[in-house]
Amino acid sequence: MGTKSVGLRRFQSATAAGLGIVAGAIVAVAAQRNALDTVNRRLEQLEEQANNQQRANLAMQQRQHWELLSKAIDDPELAEVLDLYEAPVSEQRRRQYLFANALYTNLLCYHRIGNFTLDEFFKHARAMFQNPIVRDYWEITRHNRDSLKGTEEARLGRLIDDYLLQLDEADTDEWWVVGSPPTDS
């Protein structure tokens, strides 16, 4: 009987030691999981800060763009610097084109910073391009957009081009039903 007791005690000691090792491993895994969760939360915070900074940078750039265009709209001599049109335009038309540029750039910025979905961008652009001066501006600046290959701005420009083509081919004067709003992807 004495041998059974020693064997049983050894088995119980080994079992207790094994349970201790398993418990230690569980505690270590839980601590690692907690550390990983903390790192993941910090990474999410940093990503959010980076996104906020990018939106702030875009908004600042938009403000600067408007300030420059405003100066050019107000001063014909400065406006001549921005006259990159293929055909000569009057001073009045140049100012209108600069304002059309400001309107479109504002719409583009709203989409880029996340204030407009692609669907909302399209619907606002669809209304904006009912104005013949805006459409003239779009056509006369086509060569500028052709150099933007592979950018988000190029993709949105093609969206407008496709819409205007559909509008020209439409059998209706109800512009708000022409073209299908794109899906965000």
Side-chain angles (χ1 to χ4, degrees):
M1 267 199 129
T3 334
K4 272 188 166 178
S5 273
V6 172
L8 185 56
R9 277 184 283 204
R10 283 186 184 160
F11 176 72
Q12 288 174 337
S13 295
T15 302
L19 287 175
I21 291 171
V22 170
I26 290 173
V27 168
V29 168
Q32 282 182 330
R33 180 64 191 171
N34 188 31
L36 283 174
D37 288 345
T38 301
V39 168
N40 283 333
R41 280 192 302 275
R42 181 64 181 140
L43 285 174
E44 288 171 2
Q45 289 172 344
L46 291 173
E47 287 173 357
E48 182 62 27
Q49 287 174 352
N51 289 337
N52 288 340
Q53 184 61 51
Q54 183 179 18
R55 285 191 295 275
N57 290 345
L58 282 169
M60 175 62 81
Q61 188 275 329
Q62 176 66 20
R63 255 189 309 278
Q64 290 172 340
H65 182 259
W66 174 245
E67 288 174 14
L68 291 170
L69 284 179
S70 293
K71 288 179 182 185
I73 289 169
D74 292 340
D75 186 338
E77 290 178 9
L78 293 178
E80 288 180 23
V81 174
L82 295 177
D83 189 342
L84 304 173
Y85 313 115
E86 290 185 343
V89 296
S90 68
E91 182 181 319
Q92 176 187 0
R93 186 51 57 113
R94 185 181 311 121
R95 290 176 72 207
Q96 291 170 333
Y97 286 169
L98 291 172
F99 191 73
N101 174 273
L103 289 175
Y104 179 71
T105 303
N106 187 57
L107 183 63
L108 187 64
C109 183
Y110 266 48
H111 173 64
R112 283 180 163 167
I113 64 174
N115 286 355
F116 283 163
T117 64
L118 186 57
D119 179 65
E120 291 168 321
F121 170 87
F122 177 77
K123 288 175 180 175
H124 284 278
R126 185 164 54 184
M128 182 189 316
F129 280 89
Q130 297 316 301
N131 183 291
I133 296 170
V134 174
R135 289 183 72 175
D136 287 345
Y137 158 78
W138 193 254
E139 188 55 41
I140 203 165
T141 58
R142 178 175 302 284
H143 66 284
N144 295 341
R145 288 187 310 284
D146 288 344
S147 67
L148 300 175
K149 295 181 183 350
T151 65
E152 180 185 28
E153 190 172 347
R155 180 177 64 89
L156 295 171
R158 283 191 308 276
L159 178 77
I160 301 299
D161 289 340
D162 291 345
Y163 167 69
L164 293 174
L165 183 63
Q166 291 172 28
L167 189 62
D168 289 342
E169 295 173 351
D171 291 335
T172 181
D173 289 333
E174 297 174 341
W175 58 266
W176 56 91
V177 299
V178 175
S180 298
T183 56
D184 284 309
S185 49

